[in-house]
């Protein structure tokens, strides 16, 4: 689960994106950014109580690590590694990874 600092950063990035078409000279731009950010922080905090939010880069990294596991590892470790890869493949479109 993202920590509050990460949630705030994501919310800010999203709110700036949502306000990108508002001219800098418009005094409402900062208000739109602020209110959107507050809403997204609340939403993400709520959603993180029931769902796992993981950056796609972390999923890609773990997927590649699992695929590169050495064949010399213990059978138990290989089984776990293959299970992880299968889980990722079933949760995510592998072509996108």
């Amino acid at each position: 689960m993202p920590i509050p600092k990460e949630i705030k950063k994501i919310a800010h990035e999203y709110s700036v994106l949502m306000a990108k078409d508002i001219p800098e000279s418009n005094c409402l731009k900062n208000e739109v950014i602020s209110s959107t950010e507050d809403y997204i922080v609340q939403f993400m905090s709520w959603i993180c109580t029931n769902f796992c939010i993981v950056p796609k880069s972390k999923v890609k990294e773990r997927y590649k690590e699992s695929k590169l596991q050495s064949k010399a590892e213990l059978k138990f470790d290989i089984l776990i590694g293959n299970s992880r890869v299968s889980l990722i493949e079933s949760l995510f479109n592998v072509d996108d990874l």
Side-chain angles (χ1 to χ4, degrees):
M1 180 169 122
I3 58 173
K5 185 177 177 181
E6 291 171 326
I7 289 174
K8 179 94 169 142
K9 181 182 177 222
I10 293 166
H12 181 73
E13 288 176 16
Y14 179 77
S15 63
V16 168
L17 177 68
M18 291 296 98
K20 74 179 184 327
D21 294 331
I22 301 172
E24 289 295 327
S25 60
N26 189 327
C27 61
L28 291 177
K29 185 167 186 152
N30 287 339
E31 183 60 34
V32 168
I33 290 172
S34 178
S35 61
T36 303
E37 186 175 321
D38 291 344
Y39 173 77
I40 296 301
V41 165
Q42 290 175 8
F43 173 73
M44 288 189 68
S45 297
W46 171 81
I47 205 164
C48 286
T49 61
N50 295 310
F51 299 93
C52 180
I53 308 295
V54 180
K56 195 169 185 177
S57 60
K58 291 276 188 190
V59 174
K60 287 179 181 180
E61 180 184 312
R62 298 293 181 163
Y63 179 78
K64 288 176 184 175
E65 286 174 6
S66 293
K67 283 293 206 183
L68 295 174
Q69 281 187 331
S70 169
K71 292 182 180 180
E73 291 178 323
L74 296 172
K75 289 182 181 181
F76 181 74
D77 288 339
I78 292 172
L79 177 63
I80 290 174
N82 288 339
S83 296
R84 287 181 186 144
V85 170
S86 296
L87 176 62
I88 290 171
E89 288 174 344
S90 68
L91 291 174
F92 301 94
N93 183 353
V94 177
D95 294 335
D96 289 343
L97 298 174

